Every structure is written in C-alpha cells, then in structure tokens.
Amino acid sequence: MDTNKSNKSKKRQARGSGNARPSLTREVIVRAALKIVDDEGYGALSMRRLGTELSVDPMAVYYHFPNKAALQDGIVEEVMSGIDLGRDDPSKTIAERLCAAAHIYREALLSHPQAVQITAVRSLNTPDSFRPVEFLLELFAEAGFTRTDALAGVNIFARFVRGMVLLESVSMKSMENDHDDITMEALAGKLPLEDFPLMHKAMQEACFIGNEAEFGRATKALIKGLLEEYSNGEKEVDDDVG
Amino acid sequence: MDTNKSNKSKKRQARGSGNARPSLTREVIVRAALKIVDDEGYGALSMRRLGTELSVDPMAVYYHFPNKAALQDGIVEEVMSGIDLGRDDPSKTIAERLCAAAHIYREALLSHPQAVQITAVRSLNTPDSFRPVEFLLELFAEAGFTRTDALAGVNIFARFVRGMVLLESVSMKSMENDHDDITMEALAGKLPLEDFPLMHKAMQEACFIGNEAEFGRATKALIKGLLEEYSNGEKEVDDDVG
DNA sequence: ACCTGAACACCGTTCAAGT
DNA sequence: ACCTGAACACCGTTCAAGT
C-alpha cells in the first residue's frame, strides 16, 4: 500500500544512556539489498536472504521498512540519486541538452542493470525524484512549449527513457543465456523463408548497431520530432551538431 | 530456463480406445490464467489459484506447461495474437502506417491492462510473434532505410511502444488508488515552492492531456524524427516488394 | 529503541502414485 | 495419457518476546 511514510524524522537520536548505535540503518540495508540484486539478480532479493547478508535476523529489516515494497523504493531512491544534473551545459541547444539528460538518466539506470526491473517501473514521491522533472519542465519551457505541452513532454520523455532502458536491460539478460547464434540458427529454422524474407536477410548480415546507438538514435528522433511540433520560438536548430 | 519447447506436436491424438478428451487444454489453461490476471491483477496469478479456477488439482497444469514462465509465455502469446495487421492501409503515408501500427500494438497490449507487466517485458520466439517484425521491416525498407537502419528502426519501434504502454499501465494503476488530488495536495506540500516553481504551476492548472494523446504525440514525433534521419527520400524501392 | 524467533498463510516445483 | 496429493524448500508478514 503506502510505502514510504513511516520512519522519516527520527533518524537516530543519541540516547541518554547506553549509546548502542544501531548497526542497522536504512542506508546499510538498502545498500545490502542493492548488492544482492546486482550480484544475484532481482529475483534473489528476499527479506530472508537480506537478513543473512546483513548477518541479522531476517525480520530485523521490518523495523526500518514497513514492507518489501518500501525497501524497493529505497533501492530506487538510491539508484536515482546517481542522476547527476550538474552535467547540464546551458550553452548548448535545447535538443542537445535534452539528449544529454536522456543519456544521463539512462546511465544512472543502467549502472545497476539487474535493478532496472524495479527502478524503471516504480515512481517515487520524494522531492529529490522530482528535481529532474522540474529541470525538464524548464528546458521545455525554454523551448517555447506551453505549460500543458511541457508537462506532456516531460511525461513522454520520462516514460520513453525508462521504458527504453527497461527493455534494453531485459534483452541484455536474454542475450547472456544464449550463445548468440545458437538461438539465431534455431530461430531461422522456425521461420519459413517465404514468409519472412527480410528477417532472414537481416539475420544473415548480423546487422545490429548496439543498444546505446539505438537509444541515441531514438532519443534524437523523438526530441527532434517533439521540438519541431510544439516549440514556438526560434530554436536555431542547425541540425545535428556533432 | 527454456520455456516453450515441450508439448508442441501431439496436441490431442484420438486414442483408439476410450476417447476421454482431456478437459484441460493449453488454451483453456491460458484463458483461465488471463482471466485471473484481468480480474485480480498480475500478483494474484499462482499455480494454486489457477488450479482452483479450473476446478482441478493445482499440479495438473504442470502436465501442460513445464513451469510458470511457460504459462506466462502462453498468456503473452494469447494477448499478442490480438494484434490485427490486416488493418494496414497501404495507400497512406509510411509515417501514418507506422503510427497506425503503433496504435494497434498499444491497443492489443492495453486490452489486458493487468497483464501488461508480463506482456511488455517477455519476448517470444514463435513465428506468429515475428510477423509484426517482418511487417515493420517492410515498412522501413519501403521508406528507404538500409537493412541495418531498418532493423534498428524496428527494434526502436518495438521497445518504444512496449515501454511506453508498460509505464502507461503502471501509472494508471497508481492513479486508481489515489483519489486524484489527495495525493496531489500532499505532493505539493512536500515540494518547496521556491525549488519547484514550474511543477507547482503545472499542478495548479491540472493540465494533463491524457495517456492516449501523449502516446500519439510521442509516436508521431519519434517516427517523424526517424524517417527524416534515415529514409532516402523517394521511396521507389524496386527491390523485393511483391 | 532495536532486534529475535516462532508462527501463519502462502508460494513454485518434484515425484511417486493413481486412473 | 492425464491427473492427484503429499512433500520440499522456499516466500512475505505478524506478533509476542527478549535486551
């Protein structure tokens, strides 16, 4: 249900008597959880497994987080905090700055590939998580978008990046299992040549440009298309500057 | 592991002796599973729940599907079969046809909103699931894309639609719980006005254009951007167009 | 305040056994 | 061939109890 509303204010008050500073912190727990996900995959994260990782009774975590969903929100928060907005360069085109933001977003998510299935889908209410939104609203406003269009733009932008990265990560995972062409061959065998001529051609000349390049193309195309449609002002788009 | 390789050829051979046609079919099972997901949500689907739905021992399903993942692939297959390619209108622009395909794809996925979390993420190996790919390759080829660019285009297109719809569906789900503005107010309270001026403005004039409109805008922008960048102009493809 | 440990109601999957 | 039912090794969560 409501995931993040319990322990917010009283982080750790220094008790008058014995200062047995709690070995267990939200931070420590989240990092351990993230480590499990990174090392063993999203499915390996359980409260019990987390307990053993922390060398603590599995139920101890429930003192710091109301439930597993809240813990996962903690993970999302941790990963999202890796988004570095300071890298924005205001001297560049709006299109370029939006593209850069997309790549920064993507990199933050992909820095924990096994966690993407969590991070891409859950959305937070913490102020920190809305700072990128405000930033993007600014950018779209600067491009001459109306308030409504800017909001739509941000929504589109965020969904685009998160969705794209998510599917990128699951395709990476399925790549790992197969030894590349083994499945290719099997697949080619199943597809009737006369019904799938283009697919066969494409598979023969294994022409895959790579995930990052694909993301780059898609991002550039989307942003260009959006800006052309909804910005009013002179955008001075001298096309693509290398 | 490998999900769909077991029972393929022998669907139901008429036994010489007593014809006790099995009450349990892959079809029946998948449909029951999909019903559970539709009615009670993705999380409610378990082998045991499925057993009671079918009025059968929970383990009976394991005779028809090797594991739960295979069952889920069955669901994906079922939903994806709702994609109707026959609705393509070759007299229209390539851009329009691609947009139409995107909307058809989206509608097929959204026809089972609770299942999107499964359908959007898993990808199948069945020939049927590759027919849309071949179709899209054709469209991009017709637009003058090189083979490599066409493949990238299809990849981008598919990831875009699935990712977009997935995040659309999760945002719908979180909308249901909140009574719209209650969370809005709480959120506005948490965001310092001086740090988030644009967000506050946007939230005051609750300007949300709707999910379908957003998807339409995004799709149009993406496709326009892609076509402008990678198509060679006149689409006189004297190549292999039947 | 912070952690433990037993207990509850679930899971997915295996496997021998029934018909 | 097709289904049953017990069993195994897990889950998330609750709650009384410890310190």
Side-chain angles (χ1 to χ4, degrees):
Chain A
M1 309 303 167
D2 38 12
T3 54
N4 44 5
K5 72 167 182 189
S6 56
N7 34 14
K8 44 175 65 167
S9 53
K10 36 181 139 177
K11 272 284 157 100
R12 81 180 75 170
Q13 62 265 56
R15 198 71 228 104
S17 62
N19 163 17
R21 64 157 148 70
S23 53
L24 232 47
T25 332
R26 278 181 110 265
E27 274 280 328
V28 173
I29 294 173
V30 166
R31 268 204 257 274
L34 191 48
K35 180 175 173 5
I36 293 174
V37 173
D38 282 340
D39 294 351
E40 305 164 38
Y42 160 58
L45 179 63
S46 76
M47 302 307 263
R48 295 171 142 94
R49 172 78 188 77
L50 181 56
T52 73
E53 182 76 18
L54 291 163
S55 307
V56 103
D57 186 286
M59 301 309 120
V61 176
Y62 279 96
Y63 183 80
H64 302 269
F65 293 90
N67 50 37
K68 197 184 180 183
L71 173 66
Q72 290 179 144
D73 282 346
I75 293 180
V76 177
E77 213 171 337
E78 172 82 9
V79 174
M80 294 300 200
S81 75
I83 299 180
D84 185 10
L85 289 156
R87 285 200 265 162
D88 178 49
D89 179 359
S91 73
K92 296 209 163 185
T93 321
I94 299 278
E96 288 171 320
R97 291 167 75 189
L98 282 169
C99 274
H103 277 94
I104 289 171
Y105 198 167
R106 173 174 175 272
E107 275 162 28
L109 290 174
L110 279 186
S111 68
H112 298 274
Q114 300 273 41
V116 172
Q117 299 230 53
I118 313 171
T119 52
V121 151
R122 294 197 74 90
S123 54
L124 263 29
N125 287 331
T126 147
D128 267 352
S129 73
F130 277 104
R131 210 163 312 262
V133 174
E134 181 75 13
F135 172 72
L136 290 171
L137 279 175
E138 252 176 70
L139 242 46
F140 281 115
E142 205 172 322
F145 279 47
T146 70
R147 208 115 62 209
T148 306
D149 290 346
L151 196 68
V154 174
N155 243 325
I156 289 168
F157 181 93
R159 282 185 190 171
F160 167 80
V161 174
R162 301 203 301 170
M164 217 67 182
V165 172
L166 173 60
L167 290 166
E168 195 174 320
S169 85
V170 309
S171 105
M172 280 172 55
K173 254 176 113 175
S174 68
M175 290 272 201
E176 285 172 15
N177 303 355
D178 321 331
H179 302 313
D180 289 334
D181 43 8
I182 287 184
T183 318
M184 271 297 215
E185 303 281 328
L187 181 63
K190 282 204 292 187
L191 298 184
L193 181 55
E194 66 271 19
D195 281 344
F196 300 91
L198 297 176
M199 281 219 53
H200 275 88
K201 270 192 199 154
M203 276 166 41
Q204 276 162 21
E205 8 171 336
C207 39
F208 176 52
I209 65 172
N211 278 324
E212 180 164 11
E214 271 186 11
F215 180 79
R217 284 192 185 192
T219 306
K220 221 171 137 190
L222 177 74
I223 287 171
K224 196 179 168 201
L226 281 178
L227 290 181
E228 281 174 7
E229 194 82 18
Y230 298 102
S231 70
N232 301 332
E234 33 272 324
K235 45 219 149 183
E236 310 250 349
V237 179
D238 317 3
D239 266 350
D240 48 343
V241 184
Chain B
M1 309 305 164
D2 38 11
T3 55
N4 46 4
K5 71 168 182 187
S6 55
N7 35 13
K8 45 174 67 168
S9 54
K10 35 181 144 179
K11 274 279 157 103
R12 81 180 74 172
Q13 63 263 53
R15 198 73 229 103
S17 62
N19 164 16
R21 64 157 149 68
S23 53
L24 232 48
T25 331
R26 280 179 108 265
E27 274 280 327
V28 173
I29 295 173
V30 166
R31 268 204 258 274
L34 191 48
K35 181 175 170 9
I36 293 174
V37 173
D38 283 340
D39 293 352
E40 306 164 37
Y42 161 56
L45 178 63
S46 75
M47 301 307 262
R48 293 172 142 95
R49 172 78 188 77
L50 181 55
T52 73
E53 181 76 16
L54 291 163
S55 307
V56 103
D57 186 286
M59 301 308 120
V61 177
Y62 279 97
Y63 183 79
H64 302 269
F65 293 90
N67 49 38
K68 197 184 181 183
L71 173 66
Q72 290 179 145
D73 282 346
I75 294 180
V76 177
E77 213 171 336
E78 172 83 8
V79 174
M80 294 301 198
S81 74
I83 300 180
D84 185 9
L85 290 156
R87 285 201 265 162
D88 178 49
D89 179 359
S91 72
K92 296 208 164 183
T93 322
I94 298 277
E96 288 172 319
R97 292 167 74 191
L98 282 171
C99 274
H103 278 94
I104 289 172
Y105 198 167
R106 173 174 175 273
E107 275 162 28
L109 289 175
L110 280 186
S111 67
H112 298 275
Q114 301 271 43
V116 172
Q117 299 230 53
I118 313 172
T119 52
V121 152
R122 294 197 74 90
S123 53
L124 263 28
N125 288 332
T126 146
D128 267 352
S129 74
F130 277 104
R131 210 164 311 261
V133 175
E134 181 75 13
F135 172 73
L136 290 171
L137 279 174
E138 252 176 69
L139 242 47
F140 280 115
E142 206 172 323
F145 279 48
T146 71
R147 209 112 63 208
T148 306
D149 290 347
L151 197 68
V154 174
N155 242 326
I156 289 168
F157 181 93
R159 282 184 191 173
F160 167 80
V161 174
R162 302 203 300 170
M164 216 68 183
V165 172
L166 173 59
L167 289 166
E168 196 175 317
S169 86
V170 310
S171 105
M172 281 172 55
K173 254 175 111 173
S174 67
M175 289 272 200
E176 285 171 16
N177 304 354
D178 322 331
H179 301 314
D180 289 335
D181 43 10
I182 288 184
T183 318
M184 270 298 215
E185 303 282 329
L187 181 62
K190 282 204 293 187
L191 298 183
L193 181 55
E194 64 271 20
D195 281 343
F196 300 91
L198 297 176
M199 280 219 55
H200 275 88
K201 269 191 200 156
M203 275 165 39
Q204 275 163 22
E205 4 174 337
C207 39
F208 176 52
I209 65 171
N211 279 324
E212 180 165 11
E214 272 187 10
F215 180 78
R217 284 192 184 191
T219 307
K220 221 173 135 190
L222 177 74
I223 286 170
K224 196 179 166 202
L226 281 179
L227 290 181
E228 281 174 7
E229 193 82 19
Y230 299 102
S231 70
N232 295 335
E234 38 269 332
K235 26 224 132 187
E236 305 240 334
V237 182
D238 21 328
D239 221 350
D240 45 0
V241 179

